[in-house]
Amino acid sequence: MTKPVIHTRIKKVLDSGILDTDDILATEEPLEIKLIFGPTHNRRQQNITVTMRTPGNDEDLAAGFLFSEGIISSYDAISQVKASESRDGSVMTVSLKENVIPRLSSNNRNFAATASCGVCGKSDLADIHTGVSVANGNAHISSATVLQLPQTLRMQQSLFESTGGIHAAALFDQQGKLLILQEDIGRHNAVDKIIGAALRQGLFPLEQQLLLLSGRAGFELIQKAAMAGITIIAAVGAPSSMAVQMAAAWNITLIGFLREGKFNIYSGAQRVVLSS
């Protein structure tokens, strides 16, 4: 398997001159996700997406993507996940159980995703929404616990420390205990890896957990979290207007600008208990 980082030689420009030195880069490579489904006598194969990602936890990425896009509804739908290599890159082939019918749109669209985009390539505006239900979770978290999360994340975010070019997503319980951490060059990939790992580990439902994002909170990240039933999302960076709009519509607590001992609550403030 390709390593998540690579070393390269660079010229570093300093006040004192130019220095030849080593640098570490986050690996970005394509991963194709394929789906096999149908009865034994009539199995079908369909190419689902090609995403640019950082190698590692590809099985979780494939499962999480299929779930967060509404193609499967549980990890039990999967009978096998097989990794292989093609001439052009890595392939994860997900085989579904015979009795499972994947939710594919009528035009059999393919998803095309870059490292920066989780909804690129969708062919219709209706395809952006993947059947999210309004959250009913009664989770609560104290403001003091929320303020501690970025430091916990940073202490565990090894790839970011070495490259500076990696996004992280982390799943915490209400007491601030780190449950899962995933890193990827793509924000949406990191969240899909979280969802896939939680599915594989049998942690669903996730109504009592908090998702922390190391960067900004875009709509596609809110949607993926909502598909997993997560009711509290915190981001170190800014939320987009559509992220705020849909978080409010889906009854999700959305926190942004979580840094330097403060944060903003954009929706669902009832789940944040202010510490005295």
Side-chain angles (χ1 to χ4, degrees):
M1 176 183 291
T2 305
K3 294 181 179 180
V5 298
I6 62 171
H7 295 261
T8 188
R9 295 289 293 176
I10 65 168
K11 292 184 181 295
K12 179 174 288 189
V13 179
L14 307 169
D15 290 341
S16 56
I18 297 176
L19 175 67
D20 288 313
T21 185
D22 288 319
D23 195 20
I24 301 175
L25 303 177
T27 304
E28 182 179 23
E29 291 185 348
L31 174 71
E32 182 176 8
I33 300 175
K34 294 183 177 181
L35 193 65
I36 295 177
F37 60 96
T40 302
H41 65 277
N42 187 29
R43 297 290 274 175
R44 294 176 53 192
Q45 177 173 297
Q46 181 162 331
N47 298 342
I48 298 298
T49 190
V50 175
T51 185
M52 300 302 295
R53 96 302 184 200
T54 300
N57 304 110
D58 286 341
E59 179 177 337
D60 289 337
L61 173 56
F65 179 87
L66 293 175
F67 180 88
S68 68
E69 292 293 337
I71 295 172
I72 62 173
S73 58
S74 73
Y75 198 78
D76 288 339
I78 298 172
S79 63
Q80 183 186 48
V81 182
K82 182 179 179 181
S84 61
E85 296 293 327
S86 71
R87 181 183 63 183
D88 300 315
S90 301
V91 179
M92 296 298 294
T93 302
V94 181
S95 297
L96 302 185
K97 294 177 180 177
E98 277 192 74
N99 61 336
V100 174
I101 301 174
R103 182 180 174 270
L104 300 170
S105 66
S106 58
N107 60 5
N108 291 326
R109 65 183 170 94
N110 282 18
F111 300 79
T114 67
S116 61
C117 177
V119 295
C120 300
K122 296 192 176 182
S123 58
D124 192 282
L125 286 174
D127 289 333
I128 293 176
H129 301 279
T130 53
V132 175
S133 299
V134 175
N136 295 312
N138 59 355
H140 290 83
I141 192 166
S142 72
S143 58
T145 299
V146 172
L147 290 170
Q148 295 171 2
L149 300 182
Q151 179 63 21
T152 302
L153 177 65
R154 191 61 179 264
M155 290 173 61
Q156 299 294 326
Q157 200 179 349
S158 59
L159 289 183
F160 179 85
E161 288 300 323
S162 60
T163 68
I166 288 287
H167 297 286
L171 195 68
F172 290 88
D173 67 15
Q174 294 174 69
Q175 287 70 50
K177 178 183 177 182
L178 178 63
L179 303 175
I180 303 173
L181 168 67
Q182 298 283 10
E183 293 180 289
D184 199 280
I185 201 165
R187 295 179 179 90
H188 56 288
N189 288 338
V191 173
D192 278 337
K193 288 179 178 180
I194 285 281
I195 293 171
L199 284 168
R200 176 174 50 80
Q201 295 176 29
L203 298 182
F204 272 59
L206 300 180
E207 295 175 351
Q208 301 301 312
Q209 280 74 45
L210 176 146
L211 177 68
L212 177 63
L213 307 172
S214 66
R216 63 178 177 82
F219 160 76
E220 73 276 12
L221 304 183
I222 305 304
Q223 176 179 263
K224 287 178 180 294
M227 287 292 290
I230 296 170
T231 56
I232 305 177
I233 304 169
V236 173
S240 70
S241 62
M242 193 170 185
V244 173
Q245 176 185 340
M246 298 317 298
W250 292 332
N251 191 27
I252 290 172
T253 298
L254 178 57
I255 294 168
F257 290 107
L258 173 55
R259 57 196 184 206
E260 300 171 355
K262 58 188 177 182
F263 58 87
N264 299 338
I265 304 175
Y266 292 88
S267 63
Q270 74 277 7
R271 294 192 184 94
V272 180
V273 179
L274 298 180
S275 305
S276 56

